[in-house]
Amino acid sequence: MGDRNEIKGKKTYCVTGATGYIGSWLVKSLLEKGYRVHATLRNQEKASNLVKLWQGRDRLSLFRADLQEDGSFDDAVRGCDGVFHVAASMEFGVPPAPNLDSYVEEEVIDPAIRGTLNVLKACVKSNTVRKIVFTSSISTLTAKDSSGGWIPIVDESCQTPVHHVLKTKASGWVYVLSKLLTEEAAFRFAEENGIDLISVITTTVAGPFLTPTVPASIQVLLSPITG
Ligand SMILES: NC(=O)c1ccc[n+]([C@@H]2O[C@H](COP(=O)([O-])OP(=O)(O)OC[C@H]3O[C@@H](n4cnc5c(N)ncnc54)[C@H](OP(=O)(O)O)[C@@H]3O)[C@@H](O)[C@H]2O)c1
């Protein structure tokens, strides 16, 4: 994102989901690098401990924003050079429903897409945002080719097809579907609106956390030990 010395202390980045595991580290890192940060959160109280851990608070502004409220990100994104869109609902439990696929579509996928488009629309309105980073997941990729053989190097060309996710409904399929379809909708919107969007395929994250509770990805990684 340009020469570090030139941009230091000048550029402003918005981080959505700042009270989450990845978002809270991202805010910390950006502040430590001298950037101004617009951090979005749903719950001010959740930020009270984090604010003490984030150095450079004079360059930090907090904004309340909810993915499910239209226009909610407009204030946070206004004046930003770039946006790290990290926020996402991590509620993927689905009750046994007679028509599971349409339940998931209406209750999980549509809100997830609406939420991300909400952020992207705010970026278009801002007229200042030049780059947006969408947070995808390694869970959208497969290490197997169409004949079931192992692929030696896995990259973005190894995306699991949506029809395969729907057909197999393997563990975590709702999350995978939500990431795949949200990313697809985001790229479509970006192309239609001349937005520079990239998607980071994040690996499963573990390590120290700033949040007061153990992040879900760490719980998952520890589950073979903890049961
Ligand atoms: N951790 C991993 O291993 C991993 C791997 C691959 C991809 N990812 C992706 O990385 C992103 C962050 O993951 P994480 O592990 O940091 O999860 P997390 O700790 O659960 O953080 C999720 C963040 O999204 C916010 N959020 C949820 N629903 C929202 C809504 N309706 N409006 C506004 N904000 C909302 C949460 O706010 P609250 O704090 O208020 O709940 C929280 O700040 C997600 O997109 C996830 O899919 C994570």
Side-chain angles (χ1 to χ4, degrees):
M1 290 197 176
D3 180 80
R4 182 107 149 249
N5 291 328
E6 183 204 320
I7 60 180
K8 208 167 177 174
K10 289 183 189 163
K11 300 243 170 181
T12 304
Y13 294 109
C14 175
V15 177
T16 71
T19 47
Y21 181 26
I22 294 177
S24 55
W25 272 113
L26 194 49
V27 170
K28 186 170 162 55
S29 303
L30 288 167
L31 288 172
E32 283 171 3
K33 287 181 194 310
Y35 300 113
R36 282 190 293 270
V37 177
H38 289 188
T40 81
L41 43 90
R42 289 191 290 184
N43 182 342
Q44 186 83 27
E45 226 170 83
K46 257 186 139 175
S48 53
N49 276 333
L50 290 171
V51 168
K52 292 177 204 146
L53 303 170
W54 290 331
Q55 304 293 314
R57 279 156 52 192
D58 53 318
R59 281 175 282 108
L60 173 69
S61 307
L62 302 180
F63 295 83
R64 205 207 138 267
D66 194 305
L67 291 167
Q68 297 311 316
E69 290 170 18
D70 283 346
S72 196
F73 288 83
D74 292 1
D75 288 345
V77 165
R78 192 173 300 123
C80 289
D81 298 281
V83 173
F84 292 90
H85 177 35
V86 183
S89 169
M90 302 301 268
E91 305 291 323
F92 297 103
V94 284
N99 194 340
L100 188 57
D101 286 0
S102 52
Y103 176 90
V104 167
E105 185 181 346
E106 282 160 30
E107 301 297 326
V108 182
I109 308 300
D110 289 350
I113 292 175
R114 261 201 316 276
T116 286
L117 294 187
N118 201 3
V119 174
L120 297 185
K121 284 175 189 167
C123 296
V124 173
K125 276 188 224 163
S126 78
N127 271 325
T128 56
V129 173
R130 286 176 35 225
K131 190 152 202 140
I132 303 161
V133 180
F134 173 82
T135 318
S136 183
S137 164
I138 193 166
S139 63
T140 61
L141 304 184
T142 174
K144 289 199 170 172
D145 60 27
S146 52
S147 46
W150 291 106
I151 299 166
I153 297 174
V154 175
D155 62 17
E156 63 269 26
S157 67
C158 305
Q159 217 172 49
T160 310
V162 167
H163 66 82
H164 184 79
V165 177
L166 282 169
K167 193 173 132 204
T168 56
K169 293 191 172 47
S171 170
W173 71 277
V174 179
Y175 177 60
V176 174
L177 193 66
S178 135
K179 282 283 159 200
L180 282 171
L181 295 177
T182 308
E183 184 194 57
E184 186 184 282
F187 274 122
R188 198 179 316 118
F189 183 90
E191 199 176 329
E192 287 165 5
N193 290 276
I195 291 176
D196 186 0
L197 174 83
I198 61 159
S199 178
V200 173
I201 302 171
T202 317
T203 56
T204 306
V205 183
F209 47 92
L210 307 174
T211 52
T213 53
V214 182
S217 57
I218 296 184
Q219 291 184 33
V220 168
L221 286 170
L222 286 177
S223 62
I225 301 167
T226 60

